[in-house]
Amino acid sequence: MAKKIYLTLILCMMILGVSAQVPKYEVRAVWLTTLNGLDWPSVKATNPESIERQKQQFRNILDRLGQSHVNTILLQTRVRATTLYPSRFEPFDGCLTGKPGRDPGYDPLQFAIDECHKRGMELHAWVVAIPVGKWNSIGCRQLRERYPSMIMKKDDEGYMNPENSQTAGYIANICREIVDRYDVDGIHLDYIRYPENWKYKVSRSQGRENITRIVRQIHQSVKSSKPWVKVSCSPVGKYSDLSRYPSRGWNAYETVCQDAQGWLREGIMDQLYPMMYFKGDNFYPFAVDWAANTYGRTVAPGLGIYLLSRGNDGANWPLTDITRELHVLRQLGMGHTYFRSRFFTDNVKGIYSFVERQFDTYPSLTPPMTWQSSVRPIRPQGIKFEESDDLLRISWWGAKDQSGAPYLMYNVYASTTAPVNIKDARNLVARRITQSQLAVSRNDGQHYYAVTAIDRYGNESDAIQSSQPKRQSQVKWLKNDGRNLEMPPRDPTMEYDYLNITNMAGNVMTIRAMTDKNINIRTLPNGVYNLNAVDRHKRVRRIGQFMVKRDVEF
């Protein structure tokens, strides 16, 4: 009854137009699928030029996701007994080169981690646990040759047997290999459950214990190496039948033996990303159930934005089905996750525009893992400023980490009043930067700045505040009407290959060809930007600065 009243109040608030303030702490994630190159890569790495194109495609995806303030990338890393990195257990996946087992000529996982961390994003290695692909695929074939009793055949697909004692250790070794070798922020388990067509020879309670045993071993393996790495999974979207709302035969607990809420309660999961690809009574009551059973951990339900697209099971949902769900999740204090990345960045039915311009209009930090460690770092010291015609350079003395994690990161805040309110997400200029300095573009106002340290668990220090506002010099703005940016005359002394536009924090927002006389800037939110020229050596020279200030967003 309490859950029903809670849900009714939330829906009434939505109808009346009452929305939750954009929170400072919130998981905003995407599943970036590499299976068959669905989200990335579409370019195959076969030579140095195609390797660079493959990398640039990934950078472009991250830039677009960053512009909408996504902060967590769930990158499919173990695909189907094949990997996105050089593993001692399994071969490379074919999505990288077009041929399973072939080395792409670089380490895609390391590259992806570096690019995410440059942008202040977390990267979680998405590990597909139980399915191992077609029976005669390279990954499945190699596994069943080495561990014949561990692999079961269902139709023409291979699966790791949850009832075999080798399964837990094998998957835990894969996860440990990733954690030991890479600076990932999380291990994200997918399909950590019984297959839906499994012919059970054990009771459901024993089945749940079999899956939980695997989860426990993975958790122990990850945490014994790097306790700050988050362990998460994507359970079936309905945990179990509710008193007034049945799951209609498809739920985590009974159907596929996932005791996901029990894993939170036991402390062997840090986060859940339930696959809530439903709407109406199949969504809202079950979202309330997840929110009521977080046990102090993080839950960021997955939204089936692929159902907005025509041709996906004939669903063709209107955008409002998703936007209502986003509002309810925020009212419930949960994060949100998009399945899949391409449907989001392709702006199907305007989902990207809605998120960027109306819903996630400011950045957010991922919630701290206070259950793992709650020791806050010592605040930074000695903030100072150096001004030039183009940039304001902020630097500070690094802080001390008291949690035992390997290094600290920093958040930078700015506002026109002092002291800077670091609880307000609107003041967050840059997050999770690893250097104790930041260059920001100058504008015609004045700002106070504040810097905090943040450890690998997400604990944030007190802020060091600037004592005086930094008054900026007047800037001659490039002309624009909010739709198109007018290109200035080209400087014949400058040699460059293409243009890019960066925001105040230096993140690339878009790339344009040199031949453009006017640059379409409709997708840019209100703000201050730099127009830069980039040569073939990736050297950047600023052409000018412009401000987008519209009364009405397009």
Side-chain angles (χ1 to χ4, degrees), residues 78-82 90 128-145 147-162 167 171 190-191 193-198:
R78 187 199 188 209
V79 186
R80 291 293 187 273
T82 50
E90 296 178 341
V128 179
I130 300 299
V132 291
K134 296 294 183 183
W135 191 247
N136 289 314
S137 64
I138 184 172
C140 180
R141 187 175 68 250
Q142 289 186 8
L143 264 186
R144 57 191 175 85
E145 287 174 355
Y147 307 99
S149 65
M150 190 172 69
I151 308 301
M152 302 289 290
K153 185 177 184 182
K154 298 293 177 184
D155 300 323
D156 62 343
E157 300 279 340
Y159 296 90
M160 303 188 77
N161 185 353
T167 296
I171 302 175
D190 184 23
Y191 221 113
R193 60 180 175 87
Y194 274 83
E196 49 268 37
N197 59 353
W198 193 270

Side-chain angles (χ1 to χ4, degrees), residues 218-289:
I218 292 170
H219 177 269
Q220 194 280 330
S221 182
V222 169
K223 297 295 185 177
S224 63
S225 175
K226 295 176 182 175
W228 56 88
V229 173
K230 298 168 184 173
V231 177
S232 70
C233 74
S234 52
V236 169
K238 302 173 184 178
Y239 174 65
S240 187
D241 289 328
L242 303 178
S243 58
R244 294 175 60 88
Y245 299 94
S247 63
R248 300 176 183 171
W250 181 241
N251 68 62
Y253 190 74
E254 289 290 341
T255 311
V256 294
C257 297
Q258 284 181 311
D259 187 11
Q261 291 181 4
W263 300 339
L264 292 178
R265 182 176 60 249
E266 185 180 337
I268 55 176
M269 279 283 167
D270 299 303
Q271 298 179 320
L272 294 182
Y273 296 80
M275 300 181 293
M276 299 193 69
Y277 310 152
F278 318 111
K279 58 183 179 177
D281 285 350
N282 285 311
F283 180 91
Y284 298 109
F286 297 94
V288 172
D289 181 58

Side-chain angles (χ1 to χ4, degrees), residues 114-213:
D114 292 342
E115 292 297 323
C116 285
H117 288 179
K118 286 178 186 176
R119 293 162 176 80
M121 296 174 171
E122 291 189 5
L123 184 137
H124 296 213
W126 164 8
V127 174
V128 179
I130 300 299
V132 291
K134 296 294 183 183
W135 191 247
N136 289 314
S137 64
I138 184 172
C140 180
R141 187 175 68 250
Q142 289 186 8
L143 264 186
R144 57 191 175 85
E145 287 174 355
R146 285 182 286 160
Y147 307 99
S149 65
M150 190 172 69
I151 308 301
M152 302 289 290
K153 185 177 184 182
K154 298 293 177 184
D155 300 323
D156 62 343
E157 300 279 340
Y159 296 90
M160 303 188 77
N161 185 353
E163 296 161 16
N164 187 291
S165 59
Q166 294 175 303
T167 296
Y170 185 84
I171 302 175
N173 284 339
I174 289 283
C175 296
R176 180 63 180 261
E177 177 182 56
I178 294 171
V179 170
D180 281 351
R181 289 173 50 186
Y182 297 95
D183 188 21
V184 294
D185 300 285
I187 291 291
H188 176 66
L189 302 171
D190 184 23
Y191 221 113
I192 185 71
R193 60 180 175 87
Y194 274 83
E196 49 268 37
N197 59 353
W198 193 270
K199 294 181 180 178
Y200 285 89
K201 297 179 181 178
V202 298
S203 66
R204 287 297 196 272
S205 61
Q206 182 58 53
R208 284 189 291 273
E209 180 53 35
N210 289 338
I211 299 297
T212 298
R213 183 182 64 250

Side-chain angles (χ1 to χ4, degrees), residues 41-67:
S42 62
V43 176
K44 303 306 178 188
T46 58
N47 55 47
E49 291 75 20
S50 59
I51 289 172
E52 183 53 37
R53 290 199 303 273
Q54 188 176 93
K55 289 181 176 180
Q56 188 58 46
Q57 184 184 42
F58 189 82
R59 294 187 191 103
N60 293 344
I61 292 170
L62 290 189
D63 288 340
R64 187 134 167 89
L65 293 174
Q67 187 176 333

Side-chain angles (χ1 to χ4, degrees), residues 444 477-478 480-483 521 524-529 546-554:
D444 60 349
W477 302 106
L478 300 178
N480 76 90
D481 60 2
R483 298 180 179 86
I521 57 172
L524 295 180
N526 288 345
V528 177
Y529 301 93
F546 64 96
M547 177 183 291
V548 179
K549 188 176 182 181
R550 314 182 188 94
D551 293 330
V552 178
E553 295 280 4
F554 299 102

